[in-house]
Amino acid sequence: MAVPLSHALALALALFAIGLLGLLLRRNLLFMLLSLEVMLNAAGLAFVAAGSHWGQVEGQLMFVLVLSLAAAEVAVGLALALLIWRRQHTLDVDSLRSLRAGEAEA
């Protein structure tokens, strides 16, 4: 029994909306990165569901590309979070405004 395309796309939309709300409402950098991952996985789910519905393999290929993009985002994002934590001792994004040129605390 196959899952209808509308159900898979509705799930992808719900996941994307949850990720977008998390990205907009949270101020912690780690939670923002996690929300971005949820949004990328929702896009990947939509690609796989559409490719499966139309019998094309390109949906799975796009999902592999989304996964590689997510892996690169995690690597860069966590490295930046670690550097910010070492400098500011917080991951609150509102405190990052002090990182502008000439305003950084030593």
Side-chain angles (χ1 to χ4, degrees):
M1 181 170 124
V3 177
L5 179 63
S6 61
H7 289 101
L9 291 180
L11 177 62
L13 178 66
L15 284 174
F16 193 85
I18 290 170
L20 184 62
L21 281 175
L23 190 67
L24 294 175
L25 297 178
R26 292 294 198 154
R27 302 291 9 135
N28 189 320
L29 186 61
L30 290 179
F31 282 111
M32 291 175 79
L33 289 172
L34 184 67
S35 297
L36 191 60
E37 287 294 319
V38 170
M39 291 171 63
L40 285 172
N41 283 328
L45 175 63
F47 281 129
V48 169
S52 173
H53 177 72
W54 288 303
Q56 301 292 322
V57 85
E58 285 87 0
Q60 293 177 3
L61 178 65
M62 288 301 295
F63 183 67
V64 170
L65 292 174
V66 166
L67 281 180
S68 62
L69 175 70
E73 179 260 331
V74 164
V76 172
L78 289 179
L80 286 173
L82 183 61
L83 289 173
I84 290 168
W85 174 258
R86 285 184 182 172
R87 185 173 194 138
Q88 298 286 325
H89 297 290
T90 183
L91 291 178
D92 187 23
V93 222
D94 292 331
S95 69
L96 298 180
R97 294 188 179 146
S98 67
L99 291 178
R100 291 182 187 145
E103 296 180 22
E105 298 173 10

